[in-house]
Amino acid sequence: MTAFAGANLSATYTAAELTGAESAKAPGIGDKYVSHDNKEYRFVRYLGGAGAIAAVVGNAVGFFAPGGVSTGVVNDVTSDVSDTAGNLAGILCGAPASGDYCWIQTAGAVTIAPALVSGADGNALTLSTTTDGTLKVAGAVTDAGGAVAIDASAKIIFLNCPR
């Protein structure tokens, strides 16, 4: 894993673009980028999961855990909540096809696409376990967390995901 400079955060990449003659132009899996405003990003592979959930810019993703059972994978993510263990990985910056690669934001302020399933300003948030690509209030000690609602009605949150 390396720090990556000059990231095109909305770009998506196929597996073929990460190998061969063009590979020097693409980030590496797990690469990190810190922007001028101190937001943090990680380069990951998106998987649609069992529900074949399409990637949507601004939606939440969790670490890929087939059938909800974690295998310790940290560079594969999905918006399909049935294929996560409820651990928030970040927010999608691009909309790759399943099996393709993109950047996710892991730290800093961000405006998300969907409304919160539950929660209000100042609440700790975690990945929803019922609605794909969304966040809910972290109400139990077993909720992983990873974000705080800054302005829930405007969908502005502050991320502090594992990185």
Side-chain angles (χ1 to χ4, degrees):
M1 206 170 356
T2 61
F4 189 78
N8 180 353
L9 298 173
S10 63
T12 62
Y13 301 84
T14 64
E17 291 173 310
L18 298 183
T19 61
E22 298 297 310
S23 65
K25 297 179 183 176
I29 300 165
D31 276 356
K32 295 180 180 183
Y33 174 71
V34 178
S35 65
H36 70 282
D37 54 358
N38 219 25
K39 295 177 182 178
E40 295 183 25
Y41 303 85
R42 187 158 34 98
F43 193 69
V44 297
R45 180 172 66 157
Y46 181 82
L47 300 171
I53 304 302
V56 175
V57 174
N59 275 14
V61 291
F63 296 110
F64 186 67
V69 179
S70 179
T71 59
V73 173
V74 295
N75 290 317
D76 288 346
V77 300
T78 187
S79 287
D80 183 349
V81 297
S82 70
D83 279 331
T84 72
N87 297 317
L88 177 62
I91 302 296
L92 286 165
C93 298
S98 183
D100 287 349
Y101 299 82
C102 68
W103 290 98
I104 59 171
Q105 185 174 340
T106 58
V110 62
T111 301
I112 57 176
L116 297 176
V117 171
S118 62
D121 296 357
N123 288 161
L125 302 172
T126 193
L127 190 64
S128 172
T129 54
T130 59
T131 308
D132 296 325
T134 62
L135 301 171
K136 67 172 186 158
V137 67
V141 296
T142 54
D143 287 338
V148 173
I150 300 300
D151 184 340
S153 64
K155 302 187 267 188
I156 300 170
I157 65 168
F158 192 90
L159 289 169
N160 189 22
C161 297
R163 22 187 213 286

